[in-house]
Amino acid sequence: MSIPHRIRRAMARPGPAPHHPGIRAELGTVGLLTAWVSCGHCHASLRVDAALETVRDEAAFRTRPMRVTDGVRSWLLEWDCPACDIPSHVTLAMVSPSGS
Ligand SMILES: [Zn+2]
């Protein structure tokens, strides 16, 4: 419900964004509830855990909370990068449990 509203707002206001919207991280290997992502800013290798709602910088052993927003068939994961403090986000498609 809120996404079309946000698109309408974005389209109604052309031009540069008034605030930093955050950087889209690059999605790597995806597990059932975890995924490896590469920070879009500093390219740090991060492990996101959708169950614990944390993001972990494996190189620096730092863990930070992550916000998980349920979509229709995906999760929106948002966090502040543990390595460079830049707000990042990525969309993670839901894996339907079809019997393992
Ligand atoms: Zn980073």
Side-chain angles (χ1 to χ4, degrees):
M1 284 297 183
S2 63
I3 290 174
H5 182 65
R6 288 183 60 167
I7 291 172
R8 283 176 65 105
R9 279 186 56 150
M11 290 179 70
R13 296 190 57 182
H19 62 273
H20 202 291
I23 290 182
R24 187 175 190 84
E26 193 172 320
L27 193 59
T29 309
V30 179
L32 193 57
L33 283 170
T34 61
W36 286 92
V37 299
S38 175
C39 175
H41 180 73
C42 71
H43 306 292
S45 216
L46 306 172
R47 190 173 75 100
V48 297
D49 191 315
L52 296 175
E53 299 189 5
T54 57
V55 56
R56 180 173 168 84
D57 179 352
E58 292 288 335
F61 302 105
R62 270 185 291 195
T63 303
R64 282 200 177 170
M66 173 180 70
R67 197 150 63 92
V68 181
T69 307
D70 286 333
V72 179
R73 296 190 63 82
S74 62
W75 288 293
L76 174 65
L77 312 178
E78 299 171 279
W79 65 88
D80 290 338
C81 177
C84 68
D85 284 330
I86 298 289
S88 303
H89 61 90
V90 76
T91 304
L92 184 63
M94 287 184 187
V95 180
S96 50
S98 53
S100 57

